[in-house]
Amino acid sequence: MNLPPVPDGVTGRPDLIRVNPRHTLENDTTCPDQRRAAVRPLIGPLEPAPFLTGPLQEFGTNPLQACLDLVEFEGRALLDTIEHLRASKGVLQRWWSPAHPAHLQWNEQVVERYVAARAAEQSSAQATGLPSTEAVAGHWVFRTELSQAVDARGVRQYEHTIPGRRYESADGRLRDLWLTSMGRARESRPDHEKAAISHVMALGGVGPKPRFAKASSPRPSTADNPPERVRVFDFGCADGSYRQILDWDAAECRRRFGQHAAPAFARAASSTGARPGGACVECKAITGCAALPRVPGLWGGHPTVPPRPRRSLSAWDLRLYGQCPAQYHLTRRLHVTSLQPEGDGARRGRAVDAWLNEAHAVRHPRGCRNVPGPENPEVWSAGGHQVEGDLARQGAAMLRQHQALCPLDRLGPEEQVLGQERVTAYVPELDVVVISVPDLLFTRAGGWVWRETKTQAKPLWEGTPLMTRYPQLALGVLLLASGAKGADPSRSWVEFELLHAFDATLERLDPGRPSVVDEARAVIAELARPLLNDTEYAPRTGHHCLGCEARPWCVPGTAFAADHPDAPPPQEAMRV
């Protein structure tokens, strides 16, 4: 029997499939080829790369999990564990990198919150007559026996794993699992994800965690004493909240798996096609992917010494790093959040952005010129973003300003129009995946037009060059000039539309002009080089500290905010 094809650029044995609930998730960023390679742990790149680590921890809850292991499995006191976390700088496993100082403070708080939340849930459960559950040191794994022959997918063995912290009653009749969310506790999770989790909880045996890129035991792994009931909780790291997201018996777990998870896993193992985007960062088949444009020398950068794991880079990353390296590391890489409410400018900008996306999705002959604005300018919403009062009136005025500038007026029906389209390219010498999402991308007369729309309270200030102030424009120029979209740069251009309540501005940049490309390259290089080579991500204080999601754990940022108690928070949206 012929094995099914694996993506180009990989080699190895495709006859083991190892999946976890994350592989059931499907959205517009999912790449079938990347996922098909990811679920086959015994295949790898044709040119194996060494195992690389960054200078700092880049998985937000690693220290949390290691601290909880000390508390739950070694009986360490909570305060002693936190002191050990500080003294080790987060290096709780020998192969780990140290943690950023603010990341350490975040983990200290979250460890305490988790222990308190778990104790509260156990007290509540026991009050209703449920037995207590104790931490399980091994991992729950469901694994089929290694077959002598491959099946229709070319597979001899299947293995299912789950993340989270595991607990079980003394008699084995009840199993609990606790998952973590970086913000508030989630009220629920997708049906196929819950079904995949419950399947392993109900049927999986206890054993060691499967090792990365290593074969599994040929023997099956199933529960000796299957539980009668499984429960899953979601814990919110940002506020210590927790929510029960499922409570099923064994029969319900089996039914849900067949209905929701099994079809999703089948698609993960068998679907084909490439969709460049964020998945490229972890893709084992990137060297063989014909759908991902290569743009060597995009801004003339040099490889990082020593080498780092592959990374993605966006204009948002560049702007955030330019403000404060610590803010970039904590919020973009670690996804730390303090649940700080959005500023007014951000709320207004998202509502305007969503309104324009909905309007551009319909091909009106005159674009937005004949599209009416909000029926009630005092309160309106788009894409789930509601504004009222002054914000609503300002946003409605911005939409009126856009009507005269809408680029889709009289655009031929044969032209493509793409709203919020992801443009991805790979810089091979840097091993960096560049991702940009223009507000509007459309073809015109054989070229691409890249439109960026920005909302702000005031007109454009002429004291800073346009591409320096808005690096997304510079990135657009470089990507079009490099041919990342496959069109002639001389027929393409980048447009910048600035909307404010009193007027609007439209500027155009030509990626076919060498001087414009040189300026764009200098702008991106000035921002990207320090970002890619940074090893400390030190805080850089300023007015942005007042709106920073990571400020509660940043000592300099907290001090800056205390010294400026009357300063208003930043109003503009950090949208790029």
Side-chain angles (χ1 to χ4, degrees):
M1 171 183 235
N2 293 326
L3 294 178
V6 294
D8 292 337
V10 297
T11 185
R13 285 175 42 201
D15 58 352
L16 169 65
I17 284 186
R18 178 183 295 154
V19 293
N20 63 58
R22 185 166 64 105
H23 295 129
T24 68
L25 303 179
E26 298 172 281
N27 53 45
D28 60 357
T29 66
T30 302
C31 175
D33 280 351
Q34 183 273 335
R35 197 167 53 154
R36 188 157 45 99
V39 302
R40 291 171 166 85
L42 302 185
I43 66 172
L46 284 172
E47 299 178 6
F51 178 74
L52 301 174
T53 59
L56 294 177
Q57 279 268 356
E58 290 206 348
F59 191 79
T61 60
N62 261 353
L64 165 67
Q65 301 297 338
C67 285
L68 292 175
D69 285 348
L70 294 176
V71 172
E72 294 180 341
F73 302 138
E74 298 186 17
R76 296 276 285 268
L78 181 59
L79 292 179
D80 179 50
T81 300
I82 291 175
E83 189 58 40
H84 179 55
L85 174 67
R86 293 174 186 160
S88 67
K89 297 182 179 180
V91 185
L92 301 177
Q93 300 285 351
R94 60 183 177 82
W95 60 87
W96 284 6
S97 300
H100 190 280
H103 186 201
L104 284 177
Q105 289 208 14
W106 180 86
N107 273 281
E108 289 176 20
Q109 288 188 11
V110 178
V111 170
E112 293 178 328
R113 288 172 177 166
Y114 181 92
V115 171
R118 164 96 176 127
E121 189 285 320
Q122 283 289 279
S123 177
S124 176
Q126 290 170 39
T128 65
L130 282 176
S132 63
T133 56
E134 299 297 329
V136 176
H139 288 258
W140 290 326
V141 179
F142 176 77
R143 184 173 58 243
T144 64
E145 185 175 10
L146 181 66
S147 173
Q148 295 301 311
V150 297
D151 63 13
R153 295 192 188 101
V155 177
R156 300 172 63 200
Q157 190 174 34
Y158 293 85
E159 190 170 64
H160 295 252
T161 67
I162 53 175
R165 302 203 64 80
R166 300 154 303 280
Y167 304 90
E168 190 172 55
S169 62
D171 60 8
R173 297 168 65 184
L174 175 65
R175 281 182 173 180
D176 288 345
L177 184 77
W178 282 61
L179 305 173
T180 55
S181 293
M182 298 301 283
R184 294 183 179 89
R186 295 168 63 175
E187 298 288 343
S188 186
R189 295 204 177 207
D191 288 339
H192 37 61
E193 183 181 8
K194 292 190 295 186
I197 291 169
S198 70
H199 171 69
V200 177
M201 293 180 69
L203 299 178
V206 179
K209 182 178 181 180
R211 297 181 61 189
F212 177 75
K214 298 294 183 181
S216 300
S217 167
R219 295 186 296 275
S221 176
T222 56
D224 295 329
N225 182 25
E228 297 175 1
R229 182 176 179 183
V230 302
R231 304 187 305 162
V232 177
F233 297 86
D234 197 274
F235 169 76
C237 295
D239 62 358
S241 60
Y242 68 92
R243 299 286 184 273
Q244 182 175 289
I245 61 175
L246 70 83
D247 182 354
W248 296 340
D249 61 22
E252 183 71 3
C253 293
R254 288 192 292 271
R255 185 184 71 80
R256 298 269 189 149
F257 179 80
Q259 182 179 357
H260 298 293
F265 282 136
R267 290 191 294 272
S270 306
S271 296
T272 61
R275 187 179 295 138
C280 297
V281 175
E282 298 180 352
C283 185
K284 295 184 282 189
I286 191 170
T287 59
C289 181
L292 178 64
R294 267 68 174 169
V295 287
L298 188 64
W299 61 81
H302 300 286
T304 303
V305 179
R308 304 269 190 91
R310 186 181 303 139
R311 288 174 279 179
S312 64
L313 190 69
S314 70
W316 189 0
D317 294 330
L318 296 173
R319 284 190 66 191
L320 210 55
Y321 181 88
Q323 279 190 351
C324 173
Q327 186 180 24
Y328 159 78
H329 176 71
L330 293 163
T331 63
R332 290 292 284 168
R333 305 299 295 181
L334 298 174
H335 307 293
V336 164
T337 176
S338 59
L339 303 177
Q340 181 167 294
E342 268 192 324
D344 288 347
R347 289 177 53 217
R348 181 193 60 221
R350 293 189 190 282
V352 171
D353 188 51
W355 186 282
L356 293 178
N357 287 339
E358 292 173 3
H360 294 154
V362 181
R363 295 291 293 273
H364 298 286
R366 296 298 311 277
C368 292
R369 278 159 175 74
N370 296 328
V371 176
E375 182 176 346
N376 180 5
E378 297 293 326
V379 54
W380 55 274
S381 65
H385 304 285
Q386 180 171 308
V387 285
E388 57 282 320
D390 287 342
L391 291 184
R393 289 188 291 273
Q394 293 167 9
M398 292 172 180
L399 293 174
R400 289 193 296 272
Q401 298 295 343
H402 169 77
Q403 286 181 320
L405 300 177
C406 182
L408 304 185
D409 182 29
R410 296 187 176 90
L411 189 69
E414 73 282 359
E415 305 288 8
Q416 297 183 63
V417 177
L418 307 171
Q420 300 286 325
E421 176 74 3
R422 186 177 58 251
V423 180
T424 306
Y426 180 53
V427 186
E429 73 276 12
L430 304 180
D431 200 16
V432 167
V433 178
V434 177
I435 302 174
S436 190
V437 185
D439 292 306
L440 191 61
L441 192 64
F442 59 95
T443 58
R444 188 186 289 274
W448 282 101
V449 180
W450 181 302
R451 172 72 70 99
E452 295 283 357
T453 300
K454 178 76 174 174
T455 62
Q456 64 184 43
K458 299 179 181 179
L460 188 65
W461 183 55
E462 298 182 358
T464 304
L466 193 61
M467 285 191 284
T468 300
R469 183 170 177 81
Y470 302 105
Q472 63 265 45
L473 302 176
L475 206 54
V477 165
L478 293 184
L479 289 170
L480 289 181
S482 70
K485 286 300 295 180
D488 183 353
S490 66
R491 292 177 174 268
S492 304
W493 59 86
V494 173
E495 294 180 339
F496 176 64
E497 176 184 6
L498 178 65
L499 302 176
H500 53 89
F502 310 106
D503 200 357
T505 301
L506 183 65
E507 300 285 344
R508 179 178 290 182
L509 299 167
D510 184 357
R513 293 180 58 188
S515 60
V516 174
V517 175
D518 288 345
E519 181 185 352
R521 186 173 288 119
V523 166
I524 298 300
E526 185 177 356
L527 293 169
R529 285 171 183 163
L531 185 158
L532 294 175
N533 289 282
D534 202 339
T535 59
E536 297 180 357
Y537 303 102
R540 182 184 299 134
T541 58
H543 188 64
H544 54 268
C545 292
L546 304 177
C548 178
E549 287 282 353
R551 178 163 57 84
W553 307 282
C554 176
V555 173
T558 300
F560 181 91
D563 291 340
H564 299 79
D566 299 324
Q571 293 297 305
E572 299 304 327
M574 197 53 158
R575 282 188 313 112
V576 291

